[in-house]
Amino acid sequence: MRGLLTTLLALALAACASPGERVVPAAQETSPGTLAASRSLAGAPAGEWPVARWWTGFEDPQLDALIDEALGASPTLAVAAARIRRAQALVEGAVANAGYNLEGALDVSRQRFTATGIYPPPLGGTTQTMAQLAVNFSYELDFAHRNDAVIAAAHAQAFAAGADAYAARLALASGVARAYFQLQRLFALRKVDQDELAQREQLVTLTRQRTAAGLDTRAQLARTRALPPALRAQLAQLDGAIALARNQIAALAGRGPDRGLALGPAAPRDTGAGLPATLPLDLLGRRPDLAAARWRAEAAARSVDVAQAQFMPNVNLIAFAGLSSLGLDQLLQARSAIAGAGPSVRLPLFTASGLRAALRGREAEYDLAVEQYNALLVDAVREVADQVQTRRALENEGRELKTALAAVQRAYDLTLVRYRAGLSNLLSVLDAQGALFTEQRAQADLRARALQADVALYRALGGGYRERSPNSTEHRSTQ
């Protein structure tokens, strides 16, 4: 048997079809270090930043509860979890197919034998029951490591599915956070309008008193009376926008509109937990979308190996043992025993063109996966650089706005004192008041933009993603 196997293997190898030369050079993955834009991110490792629950850095219990609800009830994450289970099943199937196969079989059939065939009478011309009870064994001698490549490709797809699930989790969490900070912006603008309305109403009272004392005219009084109704209309418009924002957040959290009614203004906060001193390039490797693209390229590479292995012979060892008889009454007798063993060899003799076409297709899929990864990497570097620059610009804008707000506040206070003392006119008060509330609205807008920029940066840097097995506790707990 050993000599037979050796001879068969030698003949099989000699008869193998050739895969030929690759049509185009294989695509190469781009390294983050080769991108000029990434130099602004270079530095020492940032450790565990951002953390997986990055939103807790905003220190807002309302936001924490909303995101936890969204992550627990989202159909999108349920779909991602199902894809992970499907990928894991493919891994288990690939592993099972790579081992030996042992199965039991019972076949019973009622058959009429021809009287003019190879079986003479008394069997020929009769109808008999054929029965066979056997155990069949097979084992593939995987000289080309075809099964190893199939298993590796399945594992890579499973890791890609796990990374996709985290990317969906990150997109949902960041979407809830952005919508929440937009709602807080509307609350802040409403507070500014309410303050302005209160001061406008006080100004109406003061102008009425000055008009009665002959210090102002009725035209000036009419002008001050026209301001509060306009502000009330603006408040009504903001209330409508707040209601819509609450509905959106409730939907993102997987709840009905009533959930949004419980959301109220939070304590003002300018930014999240803050950036580390440096942002190293390895943070880009923690992006789940990049990790998924990299694993898909790995799966495509292993699929190329599988296609190349098809040019090699397929050698299996097969064996069987059991019982076979003509008629069920004799099936379990010792003389009905059967057994056999031997090799099974399949050679790709006249299928070379089809195999080469399949190989070229797998090579093209690999090139596509690599170039998609490269394009995603370039976009990721740009996105991170954009968010870092945006954050720095907002910090500078915030410092200048704080100085401007303090100045207009002092100017308004002085103008109001002078107006009450009869040393200033109504127009000066209105101008100072308008400048003050314009700066306060700008500050509310800036705070919301800064918080949303932090959310965008957390997402651009992966939101705390760490590459783990797709069936790990973390993946299961976040879906």
Side-chain angles (χ1 to χ4, degrees):
M1 178 64 72
R2 181 180 301 175
L4 176 60
L5 284 175
T6 302
T7 302
L8 287 174
L9 180 58
L11 292 174
L13 291 175
C16 286
S18 171
E21 296 294 330
R22 205 183 200 282
V23 177
V24 295
Q28 299 294 321
E29 290 187 8
T30 302
S31 170
T34 63
L35 302 178
S38 65
R39 294 172 186 168
S40 61
L41 308 177
E48 295 296 316
W49 190 92
V51 296
R53 292 176 57 81
W54 48 267
W55 55 87
T56 59
F58 295 105
E59 299 178 355
D60 190 330
Q62 272 193 142
L63 177 62
D64 296 346
L66 280 171
I67 293 181
D68 288 341
E69 289 177 31
L71 295 180
S74 171
T76 303
L77 299 188
V79 170
R83 288 173 176 165
I84 288 180
R85 294 195 300 272
R86 181 180 63 184
Q88 282 298 111
L90 293 176
V91 172
E92 293 170 3
V95 172
N97 291 334
Y100 62 86
N101 184 29
L102 184 66
E103 64 177 6
L106 172 62
D107 297 313
V108 179
S109 63
R110 187 73 174 168
Q111 178 179 347
R112 174 174 173 78
F113 292 88
T114 175
T116 58
I118 61 174
Y119 300 105
L123 181 60
T126 64
T127 300
Q128 304 289 337
T129 298
M130 303 291 295
Q132 181 171 304
L133 176 63
V135 175
N136 300 314
F137 170 84
S138 65
Y139 181 77
E140 182 180 356
L141 301 178
D142 191 13
F143 300 108
H145 303 288
R146 180 181 16 244
N147 293 327
D148 292 341
V150 171
I151 294 172
H155 273 296
Q157 290 289 5
F159 274 101
D164 283 336
Y166 199 100
R169 171 186 185 272
L170 177 57
L172 179 60
S174 58
V176 172
R178 287 197 303 271
Y180 178 78
F181 290 133
Q182 175 62 17
L183 175 64
Q184 294 304 319
R185 170 185 171 274
L186 295 174
F187 280 138
L189 291 176
R190 192 178 192 281
K191 176 66 168 57
V192 173
D193 284 355
Q194 286 177 325
D195 292 344
E196 184 175 5
L197 177 60
Q199 293 198 24
R200 296 292 192 188
E201 290 174 341
Q202 291 176 2
L203 186 60
V204 170
T205 301
L206 179 59
T207 304
R208 184 183 299 113
Q209 295 171 351
R210 286 171 57 86
T211 302
L215 299 176
D216 281 335
T217 65
R218 290 186 178 276
Q220 291 173 319
L221 178 59
R223 182 175 182 179
T224 58
R225 284 176 173 173
L227 296 175
L231 283 170
R232 293 190 189 99
Q234 191 167 316
L235 282 170
Q237 184 179 6
L238 280 173
D239 287 340
I242 287 172
L244 294 178
R246 282 172 161 166
N247 290 343
Q248 179 190 13
I249 294 172
L252 286 172
R255 299 288 186 266
D258 289 346
R259 176 65 179 90
L261 298 177
L263 301 176
R269 184 177 177 85
D270 293 332
T271 58
L275 290 171
T278 55
L279 294 179
L281 291 175
D282 70 334
L283 286 178
L284 288 175
R286 302 179 191 177
R287 282 179 59 122
D289 54 347
L290 272 178
R294 191 173 65 249
W295 280 114
R296 288 193 181 91
E298 174 66 19
R302 301 289 72 79
S303 295
V304 171
D305 294 340
V306 173
Q308 289 177 334
Q310 300 300 324
F311 291 87
M312 300 295 289
N314 188 339
V315 181
N316 285 273
L317 297 179
I318 58 174
F320 66 91
L323 301 167
S324 180
S325 68
L326 188 64
L328 288 173
D329 56 336
Q330 303 182 67
L331 179 62
L332 300 181
Q333 297 181 9
R335 60 179 181 169
S336 298
I338 57 173
S344 174
V345 181
R346 299 291 184 271
L347 304 177
L349 295 179
F350 302 104
T351 58
S353 59
L355 293 177
R356 290 193 189 99
L359 175 59
R360 298 298 172 253
R362 295 294 181 269
E363 290 172 345
E365 290 174 0
Y366 169 74
D367 292 343
L368 176 62
V370 169
E371 296 304 344
Q372 287 176 335
Y373 168 81
N374 292 340
L376 187 60
L377 175 61
V378 172
D379 188 64
V381 172
R382 178 204 54 79
E383 184 180 356
V384 173
D386 286 351
Q387 297 305 328
V388 170
Q389 294 300 326
T390 298
R391 200 177 190 278
R392 290 171 180 169
L394 289 172
E395 289 174 354
N396 295 333
E397 185 179 349
R399 285 191 294 268
E400 297 298 330
L401 183 59
K402 187 177 295 184
T403 302
L405 183 59
V408 296
Q409 181 69 58
R410 287 194 301 271
Y412 171 71
D413 292 341
L414 291 173
T415 303
L416 188 59
V417 170
R418 288 173 58 83
Y419 180 67
R420 286 173 175 167
L423 302 176
S424 181
N425 58 32
L426 178 62
L427 184 58
S428 299
V429 176
L430 293 177
D431 287 343
Q433 200 174 58
L436 173 63
F437 290 112
T438 297
E439 293 296 331
Q440 288 181 351
R441 290 187 182 90
Q443 187 179 55
D445 278 329
L446 178 65
R447 182 179 292 115
R449 283 191 290 137
L451 291 170
Q452 290 182 339
D454 276 359
V455 172
L457 183 58
Y458 286 136
R459 181 175 180 178
L461 289 173
Y465 172 71
R466 301 292 184 274
E467 204 160 70
R468 293 180 174 88
S469 171
N471 61 344
S472 67
T473 302
E474 177 179 327
H475 279 108
R476 292 197 302 271
S477 65
T478 55
Q479 294 159 20

